[in-house]
Amino acid sequence: MRLDKFLSSQNICSRKEAVKLAKSGVITINGKPAAKCDIKIDPERDIIEVGGETVSYRKNLYIMMNKPKGVLSASTDRNAPTVIDLLPDELRRRGLFPAGRLDKDTTGLLIITDDGEFAHKMLAPKSGVFKLYRAKLDLPLTDEGKNTLEHGITLSDGTKFRPAVISFEDENDRSDVLIRITEGKFHEVKRMFAFVGRDVLELHRKRIGALELDKELAFGESKLISEKEIKSIFCGQYS
Ligand code: URA
């Protein structure tokens, strides 16, 4: 890979800036100054330093976003802002897309990546990855409604939803519900609650597998996460 391409792919700088940095002598390859950016490097073997700091190689990017309302979980759209539009310049990279969808009015944990294989694995129903949502309902959920959703349902159009796990933030307010599901069907949570006669007024995703939304991230903010964190998505269950 060319040095300038490598540096921009690792979000160190743009390809143009890489040329300037190389000229100024702050980039080294295996300890030797690199004056030009068209040099080919092996990202897996060569040690690249910028200003004395080693650039650790990330083949793929994994970004955690706290999705706000009013933004589409898509890469591009002509009419509405997308989650990709919200990324700060330093996290932008070609090929990024949201791994899975949250509705326009849903908030919370969204993973943005350029790793198609990972996204496929995370979204495949057979992976059984839990997604935990907090739903604010128009009316309290009855025991009967809870029980129905915990046994799995079939809608009148034949769509089946697997059993969910339901709990409450506070037993005294049963319109504030925590629901765990393992599928990602279109409008799944809203359609599940509609089945038991409840409207979802607000929906927020808190967790995917063992990966929890960072409470420090405000709506619309995002941050890079490590491969270790991303793997925690597939790590067992959680309390
Ligand atoms: N279920 C829904 O109904 N909407 C979402 O955005 C996610 C899950």
Side-chain angles (χ1 to χ4, degrees), residues 41-57:
I41 59 134
D42 179 344
E44 316 248 4
R45 286 162 192 258
D46 292 326
I47 296 170
I48 314 299
E49 288 174 302
V50 177
E53 300 251 344
T54 305
V55 181
S56 53
Y57 178 52

Side-chain angles (χ1 to χ4, degrees), residues 58-102:
R58 283 169 171 262
K59 196 162 169 217
N60 292 109
L61 286 191
Y62 305 97
I63 298 167
M64 171 187 283
M65 175 179 278
N66 185 0
K67 181 191 168 298
K69 282 188 185 175
V71 175
L72 292 180
S73 299
S75 298
T76 53
D77 191 83
R78 283 196 191 166
N79 304 313
T82 71
V83 289
I84 302 295
D85 297 329
L86 290 186
L87 290 176
D89 284 347
E90 69 274 15
L91 291 183
R92 276 171 198 266
R93 173 157 155 182
R94 210 179 297 159
L96 287 173
F97 62 91
R101 281 171 184 264
L102 291 177

Side-chain angles (χ1 to χ4, degrees), residues 101-103 106 133 181 185 187-191 203:
R101 281 171 184 264
L102 291 177
D103 296 337
T106 300
Y133 294 87
I181 56 172
K185 289 184 178 151
H187 291 335
E188 178 152 357
V189 173
K190 290 173 186 163
R191 288 197 287 165
L203 190 59

Side-chain angles (χ1 to χ4, degrees), residues 117-135:
E117 207 175 305
F118 152 75
H120 183 74
K121 187 172 165 207
M122 181 182 101
L123 299 170
K126 74 170 190 252
S127 300
V129 170
F130 273 112
K131 287 113 194 164
L132 176 68
Y133 294 87
R134 182 173 182 181

